[in-house]
Amino acid sequence: MENTIENQPKKTWFKKIIIITLCLLLLLFCYTRFWIHKWITIKEYPIIEETLPSNWNGLKIVHFSDIHFGKTTNETEVEKVVKEINLTNSDIVIFSGDLLDNGINLSDKNIDFLKNTLSKITAKQKKYAIFGDNDYSNKETYQTIMESAGFRILENENELIFQDGSSPILIAGISSLQKEELNITNTFKTDVSNVAYKILISHEPIIRNKLNNEVNLILCGHTLGGLIRIPKIGPIIKKDYSENFLNDTYEQNQIKMYISSGIGTENINFRFNNMPSINLYRFYNYS
């Protein structure tokens, strides 16, 4: 009888531990699957280049990527992205691909929503976009949406931007490496003798391995920051064509590369320790 009474507190505590553990696991599931996707952050980076003409000091470029609309990114999240981008009051807006998702079929209503909502993104100068690997699954739809929203799609081509009579900045966009349509020669087929600074938009970061010194800066996405990032271990989900480029920034041979961890998800609909984010770059020619 005494043993039975002594065991009761132990059983009660054991049940409590199980219940608490299950509750924590449920909260973790809800956080990684539903809640984290609603919190969009802005990561801000100063980019200092001594060769940049003084007229370009303070240039602001906002960069977003990998919406994968219809997965964990719905209309509410897209509207938040637009709002956050417009709050930056940037000169140039860049989207580095994967608005669409291979597993999602958009309705006419979805397409109209994306056209109308993305058209509300404002830029003092230009808005640029490239194709992500998922966007090729419905290339015409993607092109219609982005062009209706006022984005210039750069596919193996470039454009020069001038400001106050200074040397121009070159913005180039290249095709997804997964579609084997990229053409580096065409992408930089222009007279660059008077170009102050060269920026390449690429969906996949492994484009870095195919370049020599054609550019000063690469802006890309695709990796989604590894989706699940474990403290002291790092990202654990490595997508094809990401290789080891899973962090936010890299610099090699005077070429800087910044990778957006994106807004949505792909394949698995979870994020952990990896908030959906937008990148904001401020350019200076002094330290």
Side-chain angles (χ1 to χ4, degrees), residues 32 55 115 130 141 145 203 208 240 249 285:
T32 58
N55 284 349
K115 286 180 183 177
I130 60 169
T141 298
I145 290 170
H203 184 61
R208 179 65 189 86
D240 293 340
T249 64
N285 70 348

Side-chain angles (χ1 to χ4, degrees), residues 65-84:
S65 192
D66 296 272
I67 288 178
H68 292 278
F69 183 77
K71 295 281 281 186
T72 49
T73 307
N74 58 29
E75 293 184 358
T76 301
E77 275 77 60
V78 174
E79 288 171 341
K80 286 181 181 178
V81 168
V82 172
K83 180 180 178 181
E84 292 295 331

Side-chain angles (χ1 to χ4, degrees), residues 49 198 208 211-218 250-258:
E49 296 287 349
K198 298 180 284 294
R208 179 65 189 86
L211 298 175
N212 294 313
N213 294 308
E214 293 90 343
V215 298
N216 304 97
L217 175 68
I218 304 170
Y250 294 88
E251 184 170 359
Q252 182 181 7
N253 298 331
Q254 297 183 324
I255 297 178
K256 295 182 174 71
M257 182 165 70
Y258 291 81

Side-chain angles (χ1 to χ4, degrees), residues 24-84:
L24 290 174
L25 289 174
L26 179 61
L27 287 172
L28 180 62
F29 174 83
C30 290
Y31 168 75
T32 58
R33 175 62 179 84
F34 302 109
W35 298 335
I36 193 172
H37 307 292
K38 301 181 183 300
W39 300 322
I40 298 169
T41 63
I42 292 183
K43 298 177 180 177
E44 187 167 345
Y45 303 96
I47 297 181
I48 300 169
E49 296 287 349
E50 293 181 0
T51 59
L52 196 68
S54 59
N55 284 349
W56 289 107
N57 276 332
L59 172 73
K60 287 193 292 185
I61 295 180
V62 66
H63 166 211
F64 68 118
S65 192
D66 296 272
I67 288 178
H68 292 278
F69 183 77
K71 295 281 281 186
T72 49
T73 307
N74 58 29
E75 293 184 358
T76 301
E77 275 77 60
V78 174
E79 288 171 341
K80 286 181 181 178
V81 168
V82 172
K83 180 180 178 181
E84 292 295 331

Side-chain angles (χ1 to χ4, degrees), residues 2-43:
E2 288 181 1
N3 288 338
T4 303
I5 294 173
E6 288 178 1
N7 287 335
Q8 284 179 350
K10 294 181 181 179
K11 290 180 179 179
T12 301
W13 274 108
F14 183 69
K15 288 179 181 179
K16 287 181 178 179
I17 291 171
I18 291 177
I19 292 171
I20 291 170
T21 301
L22 291 174
C23 288
L24 290 174
L25 289 174
L26 179 61
L27 287 172
L28 180 62
F29 174 83
C30 290
Y31 168 75
T32 58
R33 175 62 179 84
F34 302 109
W35 298 335
I36 193 172
H37 307 292
K38 301 181 183 300
W39 300 322
I40 298 169
T41 63
I42 292 183
K43 298 177 180 177

Side-chain angles (χ1 to χ4, degrees), residues 244-274:
N244 293 320
F245 295 115
L246 293 176
N247 293 321
D248 293 336
T249 64
Y250 294 88
E251 184 170 359
Q252 182 181 7
N253 298 331
Q254 297 183 324
I255 297 178
K256 295 182 174 71
M257 182 165 70
Y258 291 81
I259 304 173
S260 167
S261 57
I263 304 297
T265 60
E266 184 183 13
N267 298 328
I268 67 166
N269 297 332
F270 294 88
R271 279 181 179 262
F272 178 73
N273 196 29
N274 177 19

Side-chain angles (χ1 to χ4, degrees), residues 185-208:
T185 301
N186 277 358
T187 302
F188 298 102
K189 194 175 182 180
T190 191
D191 181 10
V192 297
S193 58
N194 67 332
V195 173
Y197 197 73
K198 298 180 284 294
I199 300 172
L200 175 66
I201 315 167
S202 171
H203 184 61
E204 298 93 349
I206 63 167
I207 188 65
R208 179 65 189 86

Side-chain angles (χ1 to χ4, degrees), residues 54-171:
S54 59
N55 284 349
W56 289 107
N57 276 332
L59 172 73
K60 287 193 292 185
I61 295 180
V62 66
H63 166 211
F64 68 118
S65 192
D66 296 272
I67 288 178
H68 292 278
F69 183 77
K71 295 281 281 186
T72 49
T73 307
N74 58 29
E75 293 184 358
T76 301
E77 275 77 60
V78 174
E79 288 171 341
K80 286 181 181 178
V81 168
V82 172
K83 180 180 178 181
E84 292 295 331
I85 288 173
N86 287 342
L87 286 173
T88 68
N89 193 31
S90 292
D91 300 286
I92 298 169
V93 175
I94 286 173
F95 178 65
S96 55
D98 275 2
L99 172 68
L100 310 181
D101 189 275
N102 287 332
I104 303 295
N105 294 317
L106 299 185
S107 66
D108 290 341
K109 183 181 178 182
N110 294 146
I111 293 171
D112 288 340
F113 166 79
L114 290 171
K115 286 180 183 177
N116 295 331
T117 305
L118 295 178
S119 69
K120 295 175 183 176
I121 292 176
T122 59
K124 293 179 183 177
Q125 294 199 27
K126 286 291 187 77
K127 300 192 293 187
Y128 294 105
I130 60 169
F131 288 92
D133 58 295
N134 281 258
D135 299 320
Y136 284 96
S137 63
N138 203 334
K139 188 174 181 178
E140 291 183 3
T141 298
Y142 174 78
Q143 190 162 353
T144 298
I145 290 170
M146 298 309 288
E147 290 180 349
S148 296
F151 283 79
R152 164 81 192 278
I153 297 177
L154 296 173
E155 188 169 22
N156 299 318
E157 56 188 324
N158 65 68
E159 184 168 286
L160 298 179
I161 300 179
F162 294 82
Q163 178 170 283
D164 300 331
S166 65
S167 298
I169 281 179
L170 180 142
I171 307 285

